[in-house]
Amino acid sequence: MQATTVTRVLVWSRLLRLTHWSLALSTIGLLFSGWLMNVDLLSATAAGEVHYLLTALLLPALLLRLYLLFFGHSTDHISDCEPNTHRLSQAWSVMRFYLTLGKSPLPKWYSHNPLWGPIYLLLLFFLVLSSISGLALLKGIGLIGALSLHDLHHLCYQVIGSFSILHIIAVFAHDLGGSGSDNSGMITGYRIFEVNKMRESDNGATQTIALNELLKSLKK
């Protein structure tokens, strides 16, 4: 007879959560203030000052996240976002969940979403481009050869803005359609997993699941 065991596991480190929310808050503020600078001339000066202040929050968080990406461990590291055969099959299942508007079941994964993990790396790339082009524009440098840094900065704005909207929608959809507690997980660091396993007796005792056993159960 199968028993479903619910276990709560620390997945996201404190530093990763710190960089995630610092990047999230600063990015949303930068997107809004950047938009306001271009559509409302009366508020452009104040919006510009807020824009530059938020840069002081974004840059340290971005540098720390890049450090964790290449020198961190476990879910902090870039290897946790890289696709492989298993993750690619899961990524298609996640896409199918979107295409069917939540009617198709979500797969189980341990840390980074198998579809969004590689996209997250692409987001960091555009955040780096946006930071470099923004700092150059601040110094009055508008061109590098034939490349317009203003156009590059605007392109990054569009990509990052689109990602932010889709990411917020997806996270809430995952919490509604799945069981991984994605929202609270990025606050507390813990995710909830359901593991089906054979049980020898039903004595009501509390069961403990090793991390290796949990990971094996997710790679069906």
Side-chain angles (χ1 to χ4, degrees):
M1 183 176 182
Q2 276 196 338
T4 300
T5 300
V6 178
T7 184
R8 189 168 179 260
V9 181
L10 180 62
V11 173
W12 309 115
S13 71
R14 185 175 299 176
L15 283 179
L16 187 142
R17 283 177 280 141
L18 175 64
T19 58
H20 174 86
W21 289 113
S22 297
L23 288 173
L25 293 174
S26 58
T27 297
I28 292 174
L30 285 164
L31 289 171
F32 180 72
S33 58
W35 170 79
L36 200 60
M37 288 167 62
N38 289 284
V39 300
D40 188 351
L41 296 178
L42 295 177
S43 304
T45 301
E49 293 176 354
V50 172
H51 198 75
Y52 301 141
L53 286 175
L54 288 171
T55 303
L57 175 62
L58 174 77
L59 291 178
L62 181 58
L63 290 173
L64 178 56
R65 185 63 189 98
L66 292 174
Y67 174 83
L68 294 174
L69 196 68
F70 294 106
F71 302 105
H73 303 284
S74 187
T75 58
D76 295 351
H77 195 261
I78 189 173
S79 59
D80 197 62
C81 296
E82 294 172 344
N84 55 31
T85 302
H86 177 66
R87 289 176 183 169
L88 286 174
S89 66
Q90 286 189 314
W92 167 241
S93 296
V94 176
M95 180 62 72
R96 194 163 53 213
F97 171 80
Y98 297 151
L99 294 175
T100 60
L101 300 179
K103 293 180 181 179
S104 179
L106 280 169
K108 295 180 180 180
W109 63 84
Y110 178 67
S111 48
H112 284 97
N113 184 303
L115 176 64
W116 287 87
I119 300 175
Y120 179 60
L121 297 178
L122 188 63
L123 170 70
L124 291 176
F125 173 73
F126 275 98
L127 282 172
V128 170
L129 285 183
S130 179
S131 300
I132 293 173
S133 58
L135 290 173
L137 290 171
L138 185 61
K139 298 292 185 179
I141 303 173
L143 291 170
I144 295 181
L147 176 64
S148 168
L149 293 182
H150 185 274
D151 290 344
L152 176 61
H153 199 65
H154 184 68
L155 172 64
C156 293
Y157 166 85
Q158 292 177 317
V159 172
I160 296 170
S162 299
F163 171 90
S164 300
I165 294 171
L166 293 175
H167 178 64
I168 292 171
I169 295 172
V171 168
F172 280 96
H174 293 166
D175 256 20
L176 291 171
S179 58
S181 59
D182 288 350
N183 281 330
S184 60
M186 196 49 70
I187 297 173
T188 65
Y190 287 87
R191 293 191 73 216
I192 295 173
F193 298 93
E194 294 180 354
V195 181
N196 294 323
K197 57 184 297 186
M198 297 300 297
R199 64 184 179 190
E200 297 179 357
S201 62
D202 188 8
N203 55 14
T206 301
Q207 296 177 323
T208 302
I209 297 176
L211 180 57
N212 287 339
E213 184 180 349
L214 171 63
L215 294 176
K216 288 179 182 178
S217 73
L218 298 179
K219 293 186 177 182
K220 298 180 179 179

mmCIF file of all heavy atoms in Angstrom, residues 109-135:
data_model
loop_
_atom_site.group_PDB
_atom_site.id
_atom_site.type_symbol
_atom_site.label_atom_id
_atom_site.label_comp_id
_atom_site.label_asym_id
_atom_site.label_seq_id
_atom_site.Cartn_x
_atom_site.Cartn_y
_atom_site.Cartn_z
ATOM 1 N N TRP A 109 9.674 19.085 -9.345
ATOM 2 C CA TRP A 109 11.091 19.434 -9.426
ATOM 3 C C TRP A 109 11.548 19.899 -8.053
ATOM 4 O O TRP A 109 10.751 20.266 -7.201
ATOM 5 C CB TRP A 109 11.341 20.500 -10.498
ATOM 6 C CG TRP A 109 10.679 21.820 -10.236
ATOM 7 C CD1 TRP A 109 11.137 22.839 -9.462
ATOM 8 C CD2 TRP A 109 9.420 22.273 -10.765
ATOM 9 N NE1 TRP A 109 10.271 23.895 -9.464
ATOM 10 C CE2 TRP A 109 9.195 23.577 -10.254
ATOM 11 C CE3 TRP A 109 8.470 21.711 -11.611
ATOM 12 C CZ2 TRP A 109 8.061 24.312 -10.571
ATOM 13 C CZ3 TRP A 109 7.343 22.448 -11.917
ATOM 14 C CH2 TRP A 109 7.147 23.727 -11.401
ATOM 15 N N TYR A 110 12.866 19.896 -7.873
ATOM 16 C CA TYR A 110 13.415 20.170 -6.548
ATOM 17 C C TYR A 110 13.627 21.661 -6.294
ATOM 18 O O TYR A 110 13.212 22.189 -5.276
ATOM 19 C CB TYR A 110 14.736 19.425 -6.358
ATOM 20 C CG TYR A 110 15.404 19.696 -5.028
ATOM 21 C CD1 TYR A 110 14.831 19.254 -3.845
ATOM 22 C CD2 TYR A 110 16.596 20.409 -4.954
ATOM 23 C CE1 TYR A 110 15.428 19.497 -2.612
ATOM 24 C CE2 TYR A 110 17.203 20.655 -3.744
ATOM 25 C CZ TYR A 110 16.624 20.198 -2.578
ATOM 26 O OH TYR A 110 17.221 20.453 -1.370
ATOM 27 N N SER A 111 14.299 22.344 -7.200
ATOM 28 C CA SER A 111 14.666 23.744 -6.936
ATOM 29 C C SER A 111 14.213 24.651 -8.071
ATOM 30 O O SER A 111 13.047 25.039 -8.113
ATOM 31 C CB SER A 111 16.175 23.853 -6.708
ATOM 32 O OG SER A 111 16.888 23.151 -7.721
ATOM 33 N N HIS A 112 15.102 24.988 -9.002
ATOM 34 C CA HIS A 112 14.703 25.877 -10.094
ATOM 35 C C HIS A 112 13.727 25.186 -11.035
ATOM 36 O O HIS A 112 13.906 24.015 -11.376
ATOM 37 C CB HIS A 112 15.929 26.349 -10.883
ATOM 38 C CG HIS A 112 16.719 27.413 -10.181
ATOM 39 N ND1 HIS A 112 17.843 27.139 -9.439
ATOM 40 C CD2 HIS A 112 16.538 28.753 -10.099
ATOM 41 C CE1 HIS A 112 18.332 28.261 -8.932
ATOM 42 N NE2 HIS A 112 17.550 29.256 -9.320
ATOM 43 N N ASN A 113 12.724 25.923 -11.426
ATOM 44 C CA ASN A 113 11.751 25.430 -12.405
ATOM 45 C C ASN A 113 12.503 24.990 -13.667
ATOM 46 O O ASN A 113 13.319 25.749 -14.199
ATOM 47 C CB ASN A 113 10.773 26.566 -12.730
ATOM 48 C CG ASN A 113 9.668 26.153 -13.659
ATOM 49 O OD1 ASN A 113 9.914 25.682 -14.754
ATOM 50 N ND2 ASN A 113 8.436 26.342 -13.220
ATOM 51 N N PRO A 114 12.260 23.773 -14.174
ATOM 52 C CA PRO A 114 13.017 23.276 -15.325
ATOM 53 C C PRO A 114 12.849 24.105 -16.595
ATOM 54 O O PRO A 114 13.725 24.100 -17.461
ATOM 55 C CB PRO A 114 12.474 21.851 -15.517
ATOM 56 C CG PRO A 114 11.152 21.836 -14.827
ATOM 57 C CD PRO A 114 11.281 22.789 -13.683
ATOM 58 N N LEU A 115 11.728 24.811 -16.729
ATOM 59 C CA LEU A 115 11.531 25.679 -17.890
ATOM 60 C C LEU A 115 12.142 27.050 -17.659
ATOM 61 O O LEU A 115 12.789 27.618 -18.543
ATOM 62 C CB LEU A 115 10.032 25.821 -18.192
ATOM 63 C CG LEU A 115 9.670 26.787 -19.327
ATOM 64 C CD1 LEU A 115 10.227 26.286 -20.656
ATOM 65 C CD2 LEU A 115 8.158 26.973 -19.426
ATOM 66 N N TRP A 116 11.958 27.593 -16.456
ATOM 67 C CA TRP A 116 12.392 28.950 -16.172
ATOM 68 C C TRP A 116 13.861 29.058 -15.775
ATOM 69 O O TRP A 116 14.421 30.158 -15.807
ATOM 70 C CB TRP A 116 11.519 29.555 -15.074
ATOM 71 C CG TRP A 116 10.151 29.895 -15.547
ATOM 72 C CD1 TRP A 116 9.065 29.068 -15.583
ATOM 73 C CD2 TRP A 116 9.713 31.150 -16.090
ATOM 74 N NE1 TRP A 116 7.972 29.725 -16.095
ATOM 75 C CE2 TRP A 116 8.340 31.007 -16.421
ATOM 76 C CE3 TRP A 116 10.337 32.371 -16.326
ATOM 77 C CZ2 TRP A 116 7.597 32.037 -16.973
ATOM 78 C CZ3 TRP A 116 9.594 33.403 -16.873
ATOM 79 C CH2 TRP A 116 8.248 33.236 -17.200
ATOM 80 N N GLY A 117 14.495 27.942 -15.406
ATOM 81 C CA GLY A 117 15.904 27.990 -15.008
ATOM 82 C C GLY A 117 16.801 28.601 -16.079
ATOM 83 O O GLY A 117 17.521 29.584 -15.820
ATOM 84 N N PRO A 118 16.797 28.061 -17.315
ATOM 85 C CA PRO A 118 17.618 28.665 -18.377
ATOM 86 C C PRO A 118 17.191 30.092 -18.716
ATOM 87 O O PRO A 118 18.031 30.938 -19.042
ATOM 88 C CB PRO A 118 17.386 27.719 -19.571
ATOM 89 C CG PRO A 118 16.968 26.428 -18.959
ATOM 90 C CD PRO A 118 16.166 26.809 -17.744
ATOM 91 N N ILE A 119 15.883 30.363 -18.636
ATOM 92 C CA ILE A 119 15.395 31.721 -18.899
ATOM 93 C C ILE A 119 15.911 32.679 -17.830
ATOM 94 O O ILE A 119 16.214 33.846 -18.112
ATOM 95 C CB ILE A 119 13.856 31.740 -18.959
ATOM 96 C CG1 ILE A 119 13.355 30.830 -20.076
ATOM 97 C CG2 ILE A 119 13.330 33.159 -19.166
ATOM 98 C CD1 ILE A 119 11.847 30.690 -20.134
ATOM 99 N N TYR A 120 16.034 32.178 -16.601
ATOM 100 C CA TYR A 120 16.560 32.986 -15.505
ATOM 101 C C TYR A 120 18.009 33.401 -15.787
ATOM 102 O O TYR A 120 18.402 34.540 -15.522
ATOM 103 C CB TYR A 120 16.476 32.171 -14.220
ATOM 104 C CG TYR A 120 17.015 32.872 -12.993
ATOM 105 C CD1 TYR A 120 16.469 34.073 -12.550
ATOM 106 C CD2 TYR A 120 18.063 32.325 -12.267
ATOM 107 C CE1 TYR A 120 16.964 34.716 -11.429
ATOM 108 C CE2 TYR A 120 18.561 32.954 -11.149
ATOM 109 C CZ TYR A 120 18.005 34.148 -10.732
ATOM 110 O OH TYR A 120 18.501 34.776 -9.625
ATOM 111 N N LEU A 121 18.794 32.491 -16.366
ATOM 112 C CA LEU A 121 20.169 32.830 -16.742
ATOM 113 C C LEU A 121 20.174 33.920 -17.810
ATOM 114 O O LEU A 121 21.014 34.834 -17.791
ATOM 115 C CB LEU A 121 20.902 31.590 -17.258
ATOM 116 C CG LEU A 121 21.097 30.444 -16.256
ATOM 117 C CD1 LEU A 121 21.786 29.263 -16.932
ATOM 118 C CD2 LEU A 121 21.892 30.910 -15.045
ATOM 119 N N LEU A 122 19.245 33.824 -18.753
ATOM 120 C CA LEU A 122 19.123 34.844 -19.798
ATOM 121 C C LEU A 122 18.732 36.187 -19.192
ATOM 122 O O LEU A 122 19.227 37.244 -19.613
ATOM 123 C CB LEU A 122 18.085 34.402 -20.829
ATOM 124 C CG LEU A 122 17.960 35.263 -22.088
ATOM 125 C CD1 LEU A 122 19.262 35.244 -22.883
ATOM 126 C CD2 LEU A 122 16.805 34.775 -22.957
ATOM 127 N N LEU A 123 17.859 36.158 -18.176
ATOM 128 C CA LEU A 123 17.470 37.393 -17.493
ATOM 129 C C LEU A 123 18.685 38.057 -16.855
ATOM 130 O O LEU A 123 18.866 39.277 -16.971
ATOM 131 C CB LEU A 123 16.427 37.099 -16.422
ATOM 132 C CG LEU A 123 16.122 38.266 -15.477
ATOM 133 C CD1 LEU A 123 15.373 39.370 -16.204
ATOM 134 C CD2 LEU A 123 15.342 37.793 -14.262
ATOM 135 N N LEU A 124 19.521 37.272 -16.188
ATOM 136 C CA LEU A 124 20.723 37.838 -15.568
ATOM 137 C C LEU A 124 21.635 38.472 -16.616
ATOM 138 O O LEU A 124 22.246 39.522 -16.367
ATOM 139 C CB LEU A 124 21.478 36.747 -14.804
ATOM 140 C CG LEU A 124 20.779 36.212 -13.546
ATOM 141 C CD1 LEU A 124 21.593 35.077 -12.939
ATOM 142 C CD2 LEU A 124 20.587 37.322 -12.515
ATOM 143 N N PHE A 125 21.707 37.855 -17.792
ATOM 144 C CA PHE A 125 22.505 38.415 -18.884
ATOM 145 C C PHE A 125 21.970 39.790 -19.289
ATOM 146 O O PHE A 125 22.739 40.752 -19.461
ATOM 147 C CB PHE A 125 22.491 37.460 -20.079
ATOM 148 C CG PHE A 125 23.140 38.012 -21.319
ATOM 149 C CD1 PHE A 125 24.516 38.142 -21.393
ATOM 150 C CD2 PHE A 125 22.364 38.405 -22.403
ATOM 151 C CE1 PHE A 125 25.119 38.652 -22.540
ATOM 152 C CE2 PHE A 125 22.958 38.914 -23.552
ATOM 153 C CZ PHE A 125 24.337 39.039 -23.616
ATOM 154 N N PHE A 126 20.662 39.912 -19.427
ATOM 155 C CA PHE A 126 20.071 41.196 -19.809
ATOM 156 C C PHE A 126 20.167 42.219 -18.674
ATOM 157 O O PHE A 126 20.263 43.421 -18.935
ATOM 158 C CB PHE A 126 18.621 41.005 -20.249
ATOM 159 C CG PHE A 126 18.481 40.622 -21.692
ATOM 160 C CD1 PHE A 126 18.317 39.293 -22.059
ATOM 161 C CD2 PHE A 126 18.539 41.574 -22.687
ATOM 162 C CE1 PHE A 126 18.201 38.927 -23.385
ATOM 163 C CE2 PHE A 126 18.424 41.228 -24.023
ATOM 164 C CZ PHE A 126 18.260 39.892 -24.381
ATOM 165 N N LEU A 127 20.143 41.763 -17.425
ATOM 166 C CA LEU A 127 20.351 42.684 -16.307
ATOM 167 C C LEU A 127 21.770 43.253 -16.333
ATOM 168 O O LEU A 127 21.978 44.432 -16.032
ATOM 169 C CB LEU A 127 20.095 41.972 -14.978
ATOM 170 C CG LEU A 127 18.632 41.766 -14.588
ATOM 171 C CD1 LEU A 127 18.535 40.881 -13.343
ATOM 172 C CD2 LEU A 127 17.939 43.109 -14.331
ATOM 173 N N VAL A 128 22.734 42.409 -16.702
ATOM 174 C CA VAL A 128 24.117 42.891 -16.831
ATOM 175 C C VAL A 128 24.215 43.903 -17.967
ATOM 176 O O VAL A 128 24.825 44.980 -17.808
ATOM 177 C CB VAL A 128 25.080 41.709 -17.071
ATOM 178 C CG1 VAL A 128 26.475 42.222 -17.438
ATOM 179 C CG2 VAL A 128 25.159 40.824 -15.832
ATOM 180 N N LEU A 129 23.615 43.587 -19.111
ATOM 181 C CA LEU A 129 23.626 44.523 -20.241
ATOM 182 C C LEU A 129 22.944 45.837 -19.873
ATOM 183 O O LEU A 129 23.425 46.927 -20.232
ATOM 184 C CB LEU A 129 22.924 43.901 -21.450
ATOM 185 C CG LEU A 129 23.653 42.827 -22.234
ATOM 186 C CD1 LEU A 129 22.817 42.394 -23.428
ATOM 187 C CD2 LEU A 129 25.022 43.321 -22.708
ATOM 188 N N SER A 130 21.826 45.740 -19.175
ATOM 189 C CA SER A 130 21.095 46.935 -18.782
ATOM 190 C C SER A 130 21.920 47.794 -17.830
ATOM 191 O O SER A 130 21.938 49.027 -17.945
ATOM 192 C CB SER A 130 19.770 46.539 -18.124
ATOM 193 O OG SER A 130 19.047 47.673 -17.712
ATOM 194 N N SER A 131 22.615 47.148 -16.899
ATOM 195 C CA SER A 131 23.442 47.883 -15.935
ATOM 196 C C SER A 131 24.603 48.586 -16.620
ATOM 197 O O SER A 131 24.885 49.758 -16.346
ATOM 198 C CB SER A 131 23.971 46.920 -14.863
ATOM 199 O OG SER A 131 22.919 46.299 -14.163
ATOM 200 N N ILE A 132 25.263 47.880 -17.528
ATOM 201 C CA ILE A 132 26.414 48.461 -18.229
ATOM 202 C C ILE A 132 25.972 49.626 -19.112
ATOM 203 O O ILE A 132 26.585 50.707 -19.091
ATOM 204 C CB ILE A 132 27.127 47.391 -19.073
ATOM 205 C CG1 ILE A 132 27.768 46.344 -18.164
ATOM 206 C CG2 ILE A 132 28.187 48.029 -19.972
ATOM 207 C CD1 ILE A 132 28.353 45.157 -18.913
ATOM 208 N N SER A 133 24.903 49.428 -19.871
ATOM 209 C CA SER A 133 24.430 50.492 -20.758
ATOM 210 C C SER A 133 23.899 51.666 -19.953
ATOM 211 O O SER A 133 24.102 52.835 -20.325
ATOM 212 C CB SER A 133 23.350 49.967 -21.704
ATOM 213 O OG SER A 133 22.247 49.433 -20.981
ATOM 214 N N GLY A 134 23.217 51.399 -18.833
ATOM 215 C CA GLY A 134 22.697 52.477 -17.996
ATOM 216 C C GLY A 134 23.801 53.310 -17.376
ATOM 217 O O GLY A 134 23.713 54.551 -17.342
ATOM 218 N N LEU A 135 24.851 52.650 -16.884
ATOM 219 C CA LEU A 135 25.984 53.387 -16.300
ATOM 220 C C LEU A 135 26.711 54.199 -17.369
ATOM 221 O O LEU A 135 27.164 55.324 -17.100
ATOM 222 C CB LEU A 135 26.951 52.410 -15.628
ATOM 223 C CG LEU A 135 26.431 51.741 -14.351
ATOM 224 C CD1 LEU A 135 27.410 50.670 -13.875
ATOM 225 C CD2 LEU A 135 26.207 52.779 -13.252
#
